[in-house]
């Protein structure tokens, strides 16, 4: 904690091979790997004056129905004592909620499915960021380098769009 707030853009709380193995085995770990961010450090309009928002998640088995809110908060509290005392309200989404909101997030998988070696280079298609439509490109976690590399999918898609659209209205619109 730092003056009543977590002092970082994004922090990873805990996590190791045992956590990953338990998730792959279909079991949520007692001490999950948690990704936490505090967006109000950079956009104060996301909360009333003098208050902050925090956002966090952990990996759970695909399609899990288990509520791991306490486990997430325990992990944050472990690294930032007093965190729980700062919570005024919370919003919790389960993997099934993500899938209901977006049918592409099958089982709540925010990374767009398995990321095996073949898919690392060819997801979602061999065309990578391109689509059959001119000047329409993909830039989600289903494109290289995949989920967890925040912003890079869009960066690489933009590079392809700029390269392929030289001289078109798309390129002039991006400059």
């Amino acid at each position: 904690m730092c003056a009543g707030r977590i002092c970082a853009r994004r922090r990873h709380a805990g996590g190791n091979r045992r956590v990953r193995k338990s998730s792959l085995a279909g079991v949520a770990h007692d001490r999950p790997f948690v990704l936490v961010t505090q967006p109000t450090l950079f956009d104060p309009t996301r909360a009333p004056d003098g208050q902050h928002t925090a956002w966090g998640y952990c990996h759970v088995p695909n399609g899990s129905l288990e509520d791991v809110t306490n486990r997430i908060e325990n992990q944050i509290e472990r690294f930032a004592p007093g965190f729980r005392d700062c919570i005024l309200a919370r919003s919790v989404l389960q993997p099934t909620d993500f899938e209901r909101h977006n049918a592409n997030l099958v089982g709540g998988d925010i990374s767009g499915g398995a990321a095996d070696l073949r898919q690392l280079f060819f997801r979602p298609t061999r065309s990578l960021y391109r689509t059959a439509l001119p000047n329409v490109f993909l830039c989600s976690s289903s494109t290289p380098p995949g989920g967890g590399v925040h912003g890079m999918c869009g960066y690489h898609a933009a590079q392809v769009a700029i390269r392929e659209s030289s001289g078109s209205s798309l390129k002039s619109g991006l400059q």
Side-chain angles (χ1 to χ4, degrees):
M1 297 297 273
C2 175
R5 65 181 197 267
I6 300 170
C7 293
R9 285 171 278 183
R10 182 179 63 216
R11 279 280 185 239
H12 298 140
N16 57 34
R17 286 186 185 143
R18 286 187 308 248
V19 171
R20 177 88 175 123
K21 277 180 140 180
S22 71
S23 183
L24 291 173
V27 178
H29 199 275
D30 287 339
R31 285 185 161 182
F33 173 83
V34 177
L35 186 126
V36 183
T37 187
Q38 189 176 1
T40 45
L41 290 176
F42 306 96
D43 181 0
T45 65
R46 292 179 159 236
D49 285 342
Q51 295 181 351
H52 287 275
T53 57
W55 177 88
Y57 77 90
C58 74
H59 294 273
V60 296
N62 187 283
S64 175
L65 299 175
E66 187 173 1
D67 184 352
V68 294
T69 305
N70 283 331
R71 295 176 195 189
I72 290 172
E73 291 178 5
N74 286 343
Q75 279 292 78
I76 299 170
E77 183 75 26
R78 208 172 126 215
F79 294 95
F83 168 78
R84 269 209 164 100
D85 297 334
C86 297
I87 298 173
L88 301 177
R90 71 177 51 79
S91 174
V92 177
L93 294 174
Q94 302 296 336
T96 51
D97 298 322
F98 282 105
E99 185 175 7
R100 246 190 319 278
H101 177 71
N102 182 339
N104 293 306
L105 304 178
V106 177
D109 188 342
I110 62 171
S111 294
D116 60 24
L117 190 57
R118 180 183 62 80
Q119 288 189 15
L120 181 63
F121 298 104
F122 298 115
R123 39 187 299 171
T125 70
R126 290 190 187 281
S127 298
L128 297 177
Y129 309 100
R130 297 167 195 86
T131 69
L133 302 172
N135 292 330
V136 176
F137 301 87
L138 299 173
C139 62
S140 72
S141 62
S142 292
T143 59
V149 190
H150 305 290
M152 294 309 295
C153 304
Y155 170 81
H156 291 302
Q159 296 302 308
V160 171
I162 290 167
R163 230 181 4 259
E164 291 190 3
S165 301
S166 58
S168 77
S169 60
L170 175 65
K171 184 176 181 187
S172 62
L174 291 173
Q175 294 177 342

